[in-house]
Amino acid sequence: MLDNVECVGDERKLEDCIYNSWNDCYHNEDAGLLEGKPRLVDGNSTAGRVEICLNERWGTVCDHNWDMRDADVVCRELGFKGADAALLKAHFGQGQGPVYIEEVECFGNEISIFSCNYTDSTNCEHEEDAGVNCIPNRAGDVRLVDGNSTYGLVEAYVADNWATVCGRNWGLQEAAVTCRQLGFKDALFASNQAPKRNSSMAVDQVNCTGGEKSLLQCKHKNDSNCRYLENAFVACIPGENFPDQEGGIMETQRPLHQGLFHTYCTKMHSDRW
């Protein structure tokens, strides 16, 4: 929580102002809402020491085994599209309070750091506090969620919020534009029937010619939400050799997309062999 907030007036978000942080994370008006949630401290709005709220108190994460997959999960939980650095050795200074967890091991597709494997910290001091640099969101950015780094539901950053991309008109041309915008070679698979994801905004009726550099350069409409089983899903090709099971594609599948994944994997294998 924030205390003694001082703003100049041109900041885009409250967290960009100068403020002091409460050491506890319990207040009558929001009790329980912060439990298990992360925050970034002693950096800026996109980077800082990772702290988590447990038992009504903020504490830190040990950097033992801390890597980009762990940082990605934290940044996405905070609303960014991912991380560009996982920082060690109290890069943003040493925190206070307990060091809660260590040996964090994420696949990279989890929705929370507590969905990853970890152990309670017993052998870590604040000189080993973990930090992250998150990738700042820009209007028109896209990201993949509820999957991993190469496949998932498509979201676009619109009006300072991540918006669900609906599946009407969604096909391989739209998927290819999305994948190339994310830096991949091309799209392998597209579906317009992914399960609904809660979102306050939606991008609907996307129609690409295939030559656009970003998804929102395609014709589209802004909407309030997608109908059930009408979210856009894509699987991207990262390079010449598409990852197999040992590359984590099969291992990190989520039950939410079980039916989609069966179709996706069938196509993947038929294309390769």
Side-chain angles (χ1 to χ4, degrees):
M1 302 303 294
L2 311 184
D3 189 21
N4 297 325
V5 180
E6 295 183 16
C7 301
V8 175
D10 58 356
E11 296 86 353
R12 296 188 63 188
K13 295 184 294 184
L14 191 62
E15 290 85 351
D16 293 337
C17 304
I18 298 172
Y19 63 88
N20 294 326
S21 299
W22 292 93
N23 289 326
D24 65 80
C25 45
Y26 175 82
H27 297 276
N28 289 334
E29 63 270 24
D30 53 25
L33 294 180
L34 294 175
E35 186 73 9
K37 300 296 184 182
R39 69 176 182 178
L40 303 182
V41 180
D42 290 340
N44 56 36
S45 60
T46 62
R49 180 177 60 254
V50 178
E51 295 191 355
I52 50 179
C53 176
L54 284 179
N55 302 317
E56 304 174 7
R57 190 179 181 191
W58 289 106
T60 64
V61 176
C62 183
D63 67 6
H64 295 175
N65 206 43
W66 189 252
D67 62 19
M68 282 295 296
R69 290 175 296 183
D70 310 323
D72 269 334
V73 171
V74 170
C75 288
R76 284 202 303 273
E77 186 175 1
L78 289 168
F80 300 101
K81 67 178 180 180
D84 60 13
L87 300 163
L88 313 176
K89 303 296 182 185
H91 181 88
F92 294 99
Q94 296 184 23
Q96 299 178 355
V99 182
Y100 280 124
I101 59 175
E102 61 180 304
E103 302 294 343
V104 179
E105 290 189 54
C106 301
F107 285 117
N109 67 325
E110 294 86 351
I111 60 173
S112 164
I113 191 172
F114 287 105
S115 301
C116 306
N117 293 321
Y118 64 89
T119 61
D120 294 334
S121 182
T122 58
N123 186 32
C124 198
E125 302 294 334
H126 282 299
E127 63 188 18
E128 297 175 295
D129 285 342
V132 296
N133 279 342
C134 299
I135 302 170
N137 297 323
R138 298 177 301 175
D141 280 348
V142 293
R143 69 177 182 179
L144 305 180
V145 298
D146 288 349
N148 69 6
S149 60
T150 61
Y151 72 87
L153 297 176
V154 182
E155 291 187 340
Y157 198 66
V158 179
D160 293 330
N161 286 287
W162 285 105
T164 300
V165 176
C166 301
R168 276 180 284 188
N169 299 331
W170 188 258
L172 274 176
Q173 284 197 145
E174 290 72 31
V177 172
T178 301
C179 290
R180 288 196 293 269
Q181 182 179 351
L182 289 168
F184 297 111
K185 180 182 178 182
D186 207 343
L188 175 66
F189 176 78
S191 172
N192 60 2
Q193 296 182 339
K196 182 178 180 179
R197 179 180 171 85
N198 290 330
S199 175
S200 60
M201 296 183 63
V203 177
D204 197 7
Q205 298 184 43
V206 181
N207 192 348
C208 301
T209 64
E212 296 87 352
K213 292 184 178 180
S214 70
L215 186 65
L216 294 190
Q217 288 181 356
C218 305
K219 292 180 180 180
H220 66 277
K221 294 182 179 180
N222 292 333
D223 204 343
S224 59
N225 216 328
C226 306
R227 290 180 295 189
Y228 185 68
L229 287 179
E230 198 188 58
N231 286 23
F233 176 93
V234 65
C236 299
I237 304 174
E240 293 297 324
N241 298 312
F242 196 81
D244 54 18
Q245 292 187 24
E246 296 178 357
I249 294 297
M250 294 294 289
E251 292 177 351
T252 59
Q253 62 180 287
R254 296 172 63 87
L256 176 65
H257 302 308
Q258 198 71 41
L260 285 177
F261 212 89
H262 178 267
T263 306
Y264 161 44
C265 289
T266 301
K267 178 170 175 55
M268 180 181 76
H269 291 296
S270 66
D271 284 354
R272 291 181 62 191
W273 289 289

